[in-house]
Amino acid sequence: TTLNETYQSHLPTLNDQHGQTEGINLADLHQNAPIQNLAASISLNQKFVFINKLFNGDSSAYNETLQLLENCNTTEEAINLLKYKYAPKYQWNLNSDEADELIDILKRKA
């Protein structure tokens, strides 16, 4: 017998175990996990994109907005704040990738 045959295991691998759940993978579970802190859940790259694309390069407006969003009691309240206060002020296209991404992050806020 070969060395491979001697040590070959017939136990399922982690890939096999997680591959059995149709439509769900570990990356999706992590990406959609609830978050506690908005600022901590936004990557550095996302932060720069949001500041440049949504807040016209104004980092203080971005930081102020995140603080206000953190203090919202519900997800709906936070989304409405974005839609009715900041979107008109900064002339956002609410269908843009950046706006969608920020709203998706808000929806994950626990």
Side-chain angles (χ1 to χ4, degrees):
T1 62
T2 65
L3 189 59
N4 183 38
E5 291 169 345
T6 303
Y7 291 103
Q8 184 178 21
S9 172
H10 295 291
L11 297 174
T13 64
L14 287 175
N15 187 44
D16 294 336
Q17 291 172 358
H18 292 291
Q20 292 174 358
T21 309
E22 291 184 30
I24 299 175
N25 61 40
L26 291 177
D28 290 339
L29 290 175
H30 177 70
Q31 187 174 17
N32 297 320
I35 57 174
Q36 298 298 320
N37 182 309
L38 286 175
S41 67
I42 295 173
S43 72
L44 186 60
N45 187 45
Q46 287 173 316
K47 178 179 177 176
F48 286 128
V49 168
F50 293 157
I51 289 171
N52 290 324
K53 299 280 184 164
L54 298 178
F55 294 94
N56 301 329
D58 188 350
S59 61
S60 62
Y62 166 80
N63 291 325
E64 176 188 313
T65 303
L66 280 189
Q67 187 61 43
L68 289 172
L69 293 172
E70 262 316 327
N71 294 329
C72 289
N73 294 320
T74 65
T75 302
E76 184 177 341
E77 181 183 349
I79 292 171
N80 285 336
L81 181 67
L82 283 182
K83 285 183 177 179
Y84 299 112
K85 181 175 181 178
Y86 293 101
K89 181 176 181 178
Y90 294 102
Q91 301 175 352
W92 294 357
N93 173 1
L94 288 172
N95 295 321
S96 71
D97 292 340
E98 298 82 14
D100 280 342
E101 193 172 350
L102 183 55
I103 290 171
D104 286 344
I105 291 170
L106 279 176
K107 289 178 181 177
R108 292 177 40 213
K109 177 92 171 78

